[in-house]
Amino acid sequence: MLQLRKKSIFSSYFLIVTTITGLGLLPFAIIKRPLKDWIIVYIVSIIENYFADYFLVSKGYLKYKRKIFPRIKVHLPFDFVHYPLMLLFYNQWTLNSKPIGLILKLIPIVVPQIIIETIAAKYTKLITWKKGWNWYHSFISVVIKMLLCRSIIAIIRMMNKGKLTL
């Protein structure tokens, strides 16, 4: 019983600390030029991740036992703070990268994120993987989502080339 209580307390602190850290870093990631691009990246990442997360939770691959808002199926701190923050940093870092650079620069962004998710799945009550879901599924899905969002912002930049922007 004591072990379960420690796990629950650790889960709560882990969630609170990572969310506050992410919220603290978010303004530094958004308030850069071109501002419009980073706001678009943030909004697209929220939408993209929310629907992907909702799909995976609805199909039973993921379950979040400890959430800030228990009635909502998805994990709001990850969908609205953690993932968008990592995606903003990735997009800023790869702003002028060639395709091989886009791929190689994914590794230092995605690997720590998957390690943290794996630790959370193993040692906390924050996330439960079901139906054969494993770390490599998370890795592949995050890589695909990051490349998809990076492609969207690249298309928007090409469409706006030469136009006045913030």
Side-chain angles (χ1 to χ4, degrees), residues 96-110:
N96 299 311
S97 295
K98 305 260 186 251
I100 190 72
L102 293 175
I103 304 291
L104 292 175
K105 290 178 180 178
L106 274 170
I107 294 167
I109 298 284
V110 175

Side-chain angles (χ1 to χ4, degrees), residues 52-72:
D53 201 15
Y54 188 83
F55 174 79
L56 292 171
V57 169
S58 296
K59 295 295 181 185
Y61 292 104
L62 305 175
K63 183 176 181 185
Y64 303 107
K65 292 181 180 179
R66 184 165 306 279
K67 298 178 283 193
I68 293 175
F69 301 104
R71 289 187 176 168
I72 298 174

Side-chain angles (χ1 to χ4, degrees), residues 58-138:
S58 296
K59 295 295 181 185
Y61 292 104
L62 305 175
K63 183 176 181 185
Y64 303 107
K65 292 181 180 179
R66 184 165 306 279
K67 298 178 283 193
I68 293 175
F69 301 104
R71 289 187 176 168
I72 298 174
K73 286 184 175 186
V74 298
H75 193 266
L76 291 180
F78 181 76
D79 293 342
F80 286 68
V81 179
H82 302 132
Y83 176 75
L85 182 64
M86 291 296 110
L87 191 60
L88 280 165
F89 287 136
Y90 173 69
N91 273 271
Q92 290 167 1
W93 191 23
T94 61
L95 186 62
N96 299 311
S97 295
K98 305 260 186 251
I100 190 72
L102 293 175
I103 304 291
L104 292 175
K105 290 178 180 178
L106 274 170
I107 294 167
I109 298 284
V110 175
V111 169
Q113 190 173 352
I114 299 306
I115 289 170
I116 290 169
E117 182 179 333
T118 303
I119 290 168
K122 203 171 216 175
Y123 299 109
T124 73
K125 292 183 161 237
L126 295 176
I127 185 172
T128 304
W129 291 334
K130 296 180 168 190
K131 292 186 175 184
W133 190 269
N134 210 322
W135 68 267
Y136 52 86
H137 294 103
S138 292

Side-chain angles (χ1 to χ4, degrees), residues 31-60:
I31 308 299
K32 290 184 176 185
R33 290 203 178 267
L35 177 64
K36 174 190 63 147
D37 288 3
W38 309 136
I39 291 172
I40 291 169
V41 168
Y42 184 73
I43 291 169
V44 167
S45 68
I46 287 173
I47 293 167
E48 176 186 65
N49 206 54
Y50 175 83
F51 284 112
D53 201 15
Y54 188 83
F55 174 79
L56 292 171
V57 169
S58 296
K59 295 295 181 185

